[in-house]
Amino acid sequence: QLAWIGVGCVICLIVTIFSTKFLWKITPFLYLLGLILMVLPLIFYNPNLVASTGAKNWVAYGNITLFQPSEFMKIPFILMLSRSIVRFLQRNKGRERWLRQDWLLILELMIYTIPVFALLALQQDLGTALVFLAIFAGLVLISGVSWKIILPVVLFIVGGLAGFLFLFLSEGGRAFLHQQLRMPTYQINRILAWLNPFDYAQTTTYQQAQGQLAIASGGVSGQGFNVSNLLVPVRESDMIFTVIAEDFGFVGSLALLILHVFLIYRILKITLQSNNQFYTYISIGFIMMLVFHIFENVGAVTGLLPLTGIPLPFISQGGSSIISNLIGVGLVLSIYNHSSKKKEPEEGVPIRKKVVLKRAQ
């Protein structure tokens, strides 16, 4: 893990020197490279890993698991959508904005989103798909799309979720979802684990039940560093929050969340200081990515949300995740560097007064 962090820090430092022009030009190539990498898990995968997780989202060579391409794709996806929004705003600068333009913008963003979702569907990776959906939704919201479009979409999604839960809880509903709509068994089990974590604690919901017991056992101040009295599967990655809660209790867990909030605050502050539209959308996309990761990971292990296998940023074990997050930090530092350079000439140049010397008569 330290080796991955080291590699990520080096890449982060390299990204900080990228200029706006270079980043703008390289974005389409990074997006295409990301799509190509996302095809690899469908060809090179570990059957045992697929059988245990239900998803083909890791590139593997034999029994050696290499990396998760969808993690690397998050940053190019943010860059591509940001670039598309800025180009749209430049084309329509000075014009009155109608609903037609908003629909065209959404359609253009969907053109770049659908290939990613299609590959994630083939990989059967619902959790990561939700992250991309959060990024897409966040960027659409701040792009200035009319509420006349957003409100019906939100109501449709809320109604759809309510209808899904009603069908899922009804008699024969889960069988219909599995047989007719081809919903994978592991996804059904995860939703069951969310709704009734202790009803199947010895079988399908063992991980969730043990995780919640571990969090509860930490109490206010925790049991101490490296104390693990309860076995929680995959506690080093997706369930890492249970370790912090068990070892450091409510105080340590709250401190971790405050650190994440402070990080997001700093990113927002840097974003507001920048007058570059491209940088602004990149930063907001990265914030949406971090917020959803934190919200979903902590919500899942505490029982508020279904478990989707999403890591906790900068904390969970995983090379692909830490490098992707550090690249995002590099982009934010690049925003800060270029914003500072623009201010320096204005603030640092001394005022020069013209002195006229008169020759004595």
Side-chain angles (χ1 to χ4, degrees):
Q1 184 68 9
L2 287 173
W4 283 117
I5 293 172
V7 172
C9 287
V10 171
I11 298 174
C12 174
L13 290 173
I14 294 171
V15 172
T16 58
I17 65 174
F18 286 177
S19 66
T20 312
K21 187 180 292 186
F22 176 75
L23 202 58
W24 181 272
K25 290 180 179 179
I26 202 175
T27 291
F29 300 101
L30 292 176
Y31 175 79
L32 290 173
L33 177 61
L35 289 179
I36 293 169
L37 290 176
M38 287 187 68
V39 175
L40 296 180
L42 303 174
I43 304 170
F44 305 100
Y45 60 90
N46 186 336
N48 296 326
L49 184 62
V50 174
S52 61
T53 62
K56 291 182 181 179
N57 53 356
W58 285 87
V59 176
Y61 182 76
N63 292 324
I64 303 173
T65 303
L66 299 176
F67 64 97
Q68 189 175 358
S70 56
E71 288 292 335
F72 294 119
M73 184 60 194
K74 291 172 186 175
I75 299 300
F77 180 71
I78 292 170
L79 291 172
M80 198 65 197
L81 293 194
S82 301
R83 189 178 189 270
S84 180
I85 293 171
V86 172
R87 287 181 62 193
F88 170 82
L89 295 175
Q90 288 174 348
R91 289 196 305 266
N92 294 276
K93 190 175 182 180
R95 299 179 185 176
E96 188 176 355
R97 192 159 169 179
W98 300 89
L99 286 179
R100 182 174 177 273
Q101 278 90 354
D102 287 345
W103 279 115
L104 288 175
L105 173 60
I106 294 172
L107 178 62
E108 186 175 338
L109 297 179
M110 287 181 66
I111 289 172
Y112 298 119
T113 305
I114 289 172
V116 179
F117 272 49
L119 289 168
L120 288 171
L122 292 173
Q123 295 177 11
Q124 297 186 344
D125 191 354
L126 175 63
T128 306
L130 292 174
V131 178
F132 282 94
L133 182 61
I135 294 169
F136 176 86
L139 289 175
V140 167
L141 281 173
I142 67 162
S143 66
V145 170
S146 173
W147 64 270
K148 294 179 181 179
I149 296 175
I150 293 173
L151 184 60
V153 171
V154 170
L155 292 175
F156 175 78
I157 292 173
V158 171
L161 288 173
F164 172 80
L165 284 176
F166 177 78
L167 178 62
F168 188 88
L169 295 172
S170 62
E171 186 177 354
R174 291 190 291 276
F176 174 80
L177 290 169
H178 179 63
Q179 295 171 6
Q180 304 299 324
L181 301 182
R182 305 295 182 183
M183 187 175 180
T185 305
Y186 81 95
Q187 291 181 1
I188 293 175
N189 290 337
R190 284 183 173 180
I191 297 174
L192 275 174
W194 168 51
L195 296 171
N196 306 292
F198 293 100
D199 289 356
Y200 310 94
Q202 299 302 318
T203 54
T204 56
T205 64
Y206 177 78
Q207 184 182 30
Q208 290 84 347
Q210 289 291 100
Q212 290 183 38
L213 289 172
I215 292 171
S217 68
V220 176
S221 57
Q223 300 188 38
F225 175 69
N226 205 27
V227 176
S228 299
N229 295 324
L230 290 166
L231 175 63
V232 181
V234 205
R235 66 185 303 153
E236 70 280 356
S237 56
D238 300 343
M239 306 294 286
I240 193 68
F241 192 76
T242 65
V243 179
I244 294 162
E246 187 176 4
D247 288 1
F248 306 108
F250 175 78
V251 174
S253 303
L254 184 62
L256 175 65
L257 294 177
I258 290 172
L259 284 173
H260 276 117
V261 171
F262 181 71
L263 172 65
I264 292 167
Y265 160 74
R266 290 294 302 167
I267 297 173
L268 274 173
K269 187 175 180 180
I270 291 171
T271 305
L272 293 173
Q273 290 173 349
S274 171
N275 293 322
N276 189 305
Q277 277 188 329
F278 187 39
Y279 278 149
T280 299
Y281 288 111
I282 291 171
S283 185
I284 295 298
F286 182 52
I287 289 172
M288 290 301 302
M289 170 181 148
L290 290 178
V291 168
F292 187 84
H293 269 264
I294 297 164
F295 183 73
E296 171 57 33
N297 182 276
V298 176
V301 298
T302 53
L304 296 175
L305 298 169
L307 190 65
T308 55
I310 291 176
L312 188 61
F314 304 103
I315 307 296
S316 293
Q317 181 184 357
S320 304
S321 175
I322 192 68
I323 288 179
S324 177
N325 290 330
L326 286 172
I327 291 173
V329 170
L331 288 171
V332 175
L333 291 174
S334 175
I335 295 170
Y336 177 77
N337 289 339
H338 289 88
S339 298
S340 300
K341 287 177 182 178
K342 287 182 179 179
K343 290 179 181 179
E344 281 175 5
E346 298 175 2
E347 298 174 357
V349 176
I351 299 173
R352 295 182 179 179
K353 294 183 179 180
K354 188 176 181 180
V355 179
V356 179
L357 296 176
K358 291 185 178 181
R359 189 177 296 175
Q361 298 294 330

